Amino acid sequence: MKIMYVYLSLLSILLLAACSSDSEEQVQTSNNEEMRIISLIPSNTEIIAGLGEVKSLAGITTVDDYPEDLSEELTRLDTFALDEEAMIAADPTHIVSHESNHDANKDIIDRVASNTGADVLIVDDAQKIDEIYGTITDIGAFIGTEEEADQLNAELRKETKAIQDQYSSQSLDDKVLILISTTPDIYTAGRDTFIDDFLNTLNIGNVFEDVEGYPAVTSEEVIAREPETVISTLGIDNEELTNALNNISGLEGAPVTSEENQCTPDPNLISRPGPRFTEGLTAIAECVYE
C-alpha cells in the first residue's frame, strides 16, 4: 500500500512538472508571436482598435487621433515621407497599408517587410458603407480576430438599420452640397464616394450626384444647382463656414450661408471608413431632419 502511495505521489509530481513545462513553453511561444502592427491610415487604426488590438499597435500615422488614449510611445509615421528606419525599428509583424497611398510607399514597405519578416495587407478604398464591413473582415482575418470582426460588423449593421428605420419616413425636398474645400478651389463629393453613400442611406439627394469622385467645381456651377443645405467636412464652426461661403463670388447671402442650413459634423466621422461611421450617419440625420 505504501509503495502504491509513493508511486502515485511521484506520478503526480511528474505530471505537475510537465504541466508547468508546457505552460512555460506556451508563454514563450505567445511572447515570440506577439503582434506588432503598423497601421498606415487612421480608419484602419480605428478598425484595429475596434477589434480589441489597440495594444498590438507599434506604429501609426502622424494624423491618427482615435482612440484618444493611443500610447505616446507609438512610432508616428508621415505617410507622405515614410521613415524606413523608424518602421524597421518598430519591428512589425503586420503592416496594414491602404490602396490610397500604397503605390507611393510600396518600395519602402516592401523593404521593411523584407527586413522584419512582417506580413503586409493592402486594404481596398471603401467607397460605400457596405464595403466597410468587408474591410473589417479582411483586417480581422489578417490579424487573427475573425470572431471579433464578425461581432463588430453585426453591431454596425444593427446600428445602421436602426438609424435608417428612425428616418425612413423622412426625405429632403432639396439636394445638399457636400463641401470638401473652398480655397483655393471649391471641391465637392459626387457619386461613388463614401460621403455620397451616407446621403443615399439617409434618403438625402446630392446636388453633384451626376459627377464622380471629388471634383473641383466652379462657383457658377454651385450657384446654378441652388443647394439649400451644405454639409461641411472642413472641420470649422458655422461662423467660419459662413464667412468662407460668403467669400465665394455669387454665394453671398445664399441659403447655405445661413447657420440653420449648415451641417458641421466632426469630419473624421463622415470621411473615415471605420467603425465610427454610424456616429457620422446620426450626426448628418439629426442636422438635416431635426
Side-chain angles (χ1 to χ4, degrees):
M1 186 68 176
K2 289 183 178 179
I3 294 175
M4 180 61 72
Y5 177 81
V6 172
Y7 173 78
L8 291 174
S9 297
L10 287 173
L11 183 60
S12 298
I13 292 170
L14 290 172
L15 288 173
L16 287 171
C19 289
S20 176
S21 176
D22 288 345
S23 177
E24 290 176 1
E25 183 178 350
Q26 289 173 1
V27 170
Q28 185 64 37
T29 300
S30 176
N31 287 337
N32 287 340
E33 295 179 356
E34 178 186 3
M35 275 197 302
R36 293 182 57 78
I37 306 169
I38 287 180
S39 172
L40 294 176
I41 200 168
S43 56
N44 290 342
T45 301
E46 295 190 17
I47 290 173
I48 292 165
L51 296 176
E53 288 298 335
V54 68
K55 63 184 181 299
S56 297
L57 288 168
I60 54 178
T61 75
T62 54
V63 294
D64 274 87
D65 55 9
Y66 191 88
E68 296 174 356
D69 59 350
L70 286 169
S71 172
E72 295 181 0
E73 297 179 1
L74 291 173
T75 298
R76 290 277 182 168
L77 300 162
D78 182 352
T79 54
F80 291 101
L82 280 183
D83 187 331
E84 184 174 338
E85 292 184 1
M87 291 181 70
I88 292 174
D91 192 24
T93 59
H94 296 71
I95 299 173
V96 183
S97 185
H98 194 267
E99 179 185 7
S100 61
N101 55 28
H102 183 78
D103 286 349
N105 295 315
K106 183 181 185 304
D107 291 343
I108 291 176
I109 293 172
D110 286 348
R111 288 196 296 269
V112 172
S114 178
N115 274 280
T116 61
D119 293 324
V120 178
L121 173 68
I122 305 169
V123 175
D124 293 335
D125 187 24
Q127 297 179 342
K128 296 183 180 297
I129 289 174
D130 281 345
E131 294 174 358
I132 298 175
Y133 305 131
T135 298
I136 292 172
T137 296
D138 291 343
I139 293 178
F142 182 60
I143 64 175
T145 55
E146 292 91 338
E147 290 185 8
E148 290 82 355
D150 289 343
Q151 181 178 349
L152 179 57
N153 278 335
E155 292 172 355
L156 292 173
R157 285 190 172 96
K158 183 178 180 180
E159 291 174 13
T160 300
K161 185 177 185 306
I163 295 168
Q164 287 181 298
D165 289 346
Q166 182 178 354
Y167 297 97
S168 60
S169 62
Q170 301 193 52
S171 61
L172 199 65
D173 293 334
D174 300 297
K175 298 178 180 179
V176 307
L177 168 68
I178 303 171
L179 192 63
I180 306 296
S181 172
T182 58
T183 56
D185 299 304
I186 305 171
Y187 279 87
T188 188
R191 68 174 183 275
D192 295 330
T193 62
F194 179 60
I195 305 174
D196 181 65
D197 197 42
F198 269 49
L199 302 189
N200 292 333
T201 301
L202 297 170
N203 300 319
I204 300 171
N206 181 351
V207 294
F208 282 100
E209 62 188 3
D210 58 321
V211 298
E212 186 174 352
Y214 298 93
V217 295
T218 66
S219 58
E220 289 79 11
E221 288 176 303
V222 174
I223 294 166
R225 298 182 185 230
E226 301 181 332
E228 294 289 325
T229 304
V230 60
I231 297 175
S232 166
T233 69
L234 302 177
I236 58 179
D237 61 25
N238 294 97
E239 182 177 355
E240 293 174 299
L241 179 58
T242 295
N243 290 335
L245 291 169
N246 277 325
N247 285 330
I248 297 175
S249 177
L251 273 186
E252 305 93 329
V256 290
T257 63
S258 298
E259 181 175 340
E260 62 186 17
N261 297 321
Q262 298 172 351
C263 297
T264 55
D266 180 344
N268 292 336
L269 299 180
I270 62 173
S271 61
R272 291 182 182 176
R276 292 194 293 163
F277 79 85
T278 54
E279 296 180 41
L281 277 177
T282 298
I284 291 177
E286 290 178 348
C287 176
V288 171
Y289 289 129
E290 298 183 7

